[in-house]
Amino acid sequence: MTLPREAAMLREIERSVSSGRFPAAFEGILVTSVDSPAVGGFAPALRRLYFVRFAFAIVWAVLVFLTTKSGLGPAGIVLVVVYPLFDVGSAIVDARSAKGSKSVRGLYVNMAISLLATIGIGVAAASGIPAVLRVWGAWAIVAGLVQLIVALVRRRMGGQWPMILSGGISVLAGANFILGASGAKPSLTNVAGYAVLGGIFFLVSAIRLGRAAKGK
């Protein structure tokens, strides 16, 4: 036998399903269960972050190309240290927006990895471009794996396939950087290209996130 209170709740659920809106009592369950673009402004915040990361990557790559043609000078050292440090900041912003979702743990791992990369690249910069390429390559491999895992966790949101591809490419690019460090004329040109490609993936993902949000 259905109690009056239960019957009222069932009627409320039926009305909510019909209208496409859920009572406040059920919103907390949805927030903790699924990374939904409509919940808590997560997707719009992530989209804005992706646009910022795209712009940063393009500007950074141009500056690296212009300042490291003749070697790794003071400006080049600052640039190679700033890039992973910016990644730490981006992961912090991302984690705050995604608070309560399943992807936060992976973002914390990414923060730790990028912070270690910042320190490692700063130390390696004193030894020249080959050392920087080796540390950068190791960071690209590990960070790419983390990005791949985070994007797979978020795939229900939409707009994550570019991030999945970017993570896989990062692993391959990292291996190439390590091998290139032993070449005849190692340079940071490939690293600049890597940043541009990563920025393009962020741009595509931001656009796809916007389309996914409109489709809901």
Side-chain angles (χ1 to χ4, degrees):
M1 181 177 179
T2 304
L3 297 175
R5 186 177 179 182
E6 294 172 335
M9 185 177 291
L10 288 173
R11 286 196 296 272
E12 180 67 19
I13 294 172
E14 289 173 358
R15 285 195 297 269
S16 300
V17 172
S18 299
S19 64
R21 299 177 64 183
F22 291 87
F26 298 101
E27 290 179 358
I29 297 173
L30 293 175
V31 169
T32 56
S33 299
V34 181
D35 279 340
S36 171
V39 177
F42 179 29
L46 188 62
R47 189 165 179 255
R48 288 192 295 271
L49 177 62
Y50 283 175
F51 278 128
V52 171
R53 296 201 67 166
F54 161 72
F56 174 82
I58 299 302
V59 172
W60 184 89
V62 171
L63 291 175
V64 166
F65 183 77
L66 293 176
T67 59
T68 61
K69 287 182 177 180
S70 57
L72 191 63
I77 292 174
V78 171
L79 286 170
V80 295
V81 172
V82 163
Y83 193 94
L85 193 60
F86 180 82
D87 197 65
V88 174
S90 298
I92 292 173
V93 173
D94 197 342
R96 286 179 178 176
S97 301
K99 191 175 182 180
S101 72
K102 297 177 182 179
S103 58
V104 173
R105 190 172 299 176
L107 292 170
Y108 287 146
V109 173
N110 186 57
M111 290 177 211
I113 293 170
S114 295
L115 187 57
L116 288 173
T118 301
I119 297 170
I121 290 173
V123 173
S127 300
I129 290 178
V132 170
L133 286 173
R134 291 187 182 95
V135 177
W136 198 292
W139 173 48
I141 291 172
V142 179
L145 288 173
V146 174
Q147 182 182 17
L148 181 62
I149 293 169
V150 171
L152 286 171
V153 171
R154 289 176 169 175
R155 66 188 181 280
R156 284 187 176 184
M157 290 181 62
Q160 292 304 301
W161 281 109
M163 294 295 95
I164 292 173
L165 291 173
S166 178
I169 291 173
S170 181
V171 174
L172 296 176
N176 184 59
F177 295 152
I178 294 173
L179 293 173
S182 302
K185 293 181 179 180
S187 72
L188 295 177
T189 302
N190 289 340
V191 172
Y194 164 79
V196 170
L197 183 59
I200 291 173
F201 276 120
F202 277 116
L203 176 62
V204 173
S205 191
I207 294 171
R208 288 178 63 86
L209 269 174
R211 290 176 179 174
K214 288 179 181 178
K216 285 190 176 292

